[in-house]
Amino acid sequence: MTFARAEGIIPAPEPSHAIAAVIEEAKRCTESGEPKVLLTALCGHGHFDMGAYERYLSGEMTDFELSQERIDDALTRLPVVG
């Protein structure tokens, strides 16, 4: 939300995690006085995710927790690399 309000761009969910990390680091630098250049990339917009943003902002989004059993099962089907 901070990025969208400041830049006028709604980022896709994937780069939002990196943007959030950069914002947190910028806040730490502001508090400590450490000068630092921070760089991140924006690889897409969130226009197709507007329904999810609407549910999030209205408090209607529900958390989905994948069971450890389903995670373990999925991991058994990953290809062996190397």
Side-chain angles (χ1 to χ4, degrees):
M1 293 304 303
T2 300
F3 182 84
R5 286 185 180 120
E7 297 297 327
I9 301 167
I10 299 170
E14 297 83 359
S16 292
H17 301 286
I19 292 167
V22 169
I23 290 171
E24 288 303 314
E25 183 63 20
K27 288 178 182 178
R28 279 192 287 277
C29 289
T30 297
E31 291 170 1
S32 70
E34 179 184 4
K36 192 181 269 189
V37 175
L38 304 173
L39 175 68
T40 190
L42 179 64
C43 61
H45 60 75
H47 298 167
F48 297 117
D49 303 297
M50 294 307 292
Y53 277 106
E54 183 179 11
R55 286 191 303 279
Y56 172 75
L57 293 170
S58 69
E60 295 175 8
M61 183 172 276
T62 56
D63 287 336
F64 177 78
E65 188 169 330
L66 196 59
S67 71
Q68 189 62 49
E69 180 181 333
R70 287 190 62 193
I71 294 170
D72 293 341
D73 178 56
L75 290 173
T76 65
R77 290 182 268 122
L78 289 175
V80 176
V81 178

